[in-house]
Amino acid sequence: MTLAHLLLLFLFVLQNVRQHALTLLTDMVLDRHGTCIPLLSLCEIMNSICIPIAGERITDLLRIPRNADVDLEEIMIELELCISLLFKPFLHHLKNLVSLEQEFLGIWISMLGIMTHLLGDDE
C-alpha cells in the first residue's frame, strides 16, 4: 500500500470519527427528557461548545477548494451535522431558553452569525 493510499484511508477514518462525534454531541445536548441539563448549563454548553465547534467546522468546510479531490457527499453530510448541532438543541429547548432573555439573545445572535457566514452574506 502506498503512502497516498494510507493517507486517504486515514482521512476517511478521521471523517467518520468526526461525523460520529458531531452526532453524539447533538444527541447528548438534546436531552430527550428535557430535565437532565440545568438551563444555565445548557446555555454554557451551547455558547462554549456547540456553537464554536459547529462554526469552526463550517468555516473549514467552506475553505475547501471547489476543485479539490474530495467527496462532496461527505462534505454535505458534515455540513448537515454541523447545522443540526446548532439548531436541534436550540429548537428542542427553545421554550425554556426564552425564559433567560440575555442568554437566549446571545445564543441566537451567535447562531445567526454562523448562518450568515454559511450563506456568504457576512461582508
Side-chain angles (χ1 to χ4, degrees):
M1 191 176 274
T2 67
L3 183 59
H5 285 99
L6 287 173
L7 182 59
L8 285 174
L9 181 62
F10 179 71
L11 290 174
F12 177 73
V13 169
L14 278 180
Q15 203 166 32
N16 286 338
V17 169
R18 191 171 38 244
Q19 289 174 8
H20 188 63
L22 287 168
T23 301
L24 286 173
L25 180 57
T26 302
D27 289 345
M28 181 206 68
V29 179
L30 279 180
D31 176 25
R32 298 286 182 205
H33 302 290
T35 58
C36 295
I37 302 175
L39 198 51
L40 288 174
S41 296
L42 175 66
C43 292
E44 181 67 26
I45 291 168
M46 291 289 294
N47 280 322
S48 63
I49 299 173
C50 296
I51 293 172
I53 287 174
E56 288 173 21
R57 189 61 193 144
I58 287 171
T59 299
D60 291 344
L61 292 170
L62 291 175
R63 286 185 183 146
I64 296 174
R66 298 204 193 292
N67 59 355
D69 187 25
V70 294
D71 186 356
L72 189 57
E73 185 175 340
E74 291 297 318
I75 291 173
M76 294 305 293
I77 289 169
E78 259 190 80
L79 192 57
E80 180 183 356
L81 290 171
C82 289
I83 293 169
S84 292
L85 180 58
L86 288 175
F87 283 99
K88 279 186 176 181
F90 180 77
L91 293 173
H92 183 75
H93 295 285
L94 184 58
K95 187 172 26 173
N96 294 329
L97 285 171
V98 173
S99 67
L100 298 174
E101 187 175 331
Q102 287 302 111
E103 288 81 0
F104 170 77
L105 288 175
I107 291 170
W108 181 241
I109 290 169
S110 296
M111 290 172 56
L112 287 178
I114 292 170
M115 296 313 295
T116 300
H117 178 65
L118 175 63
L119 297 173
D121 295 330
D122 55 349
E123 289 145 19

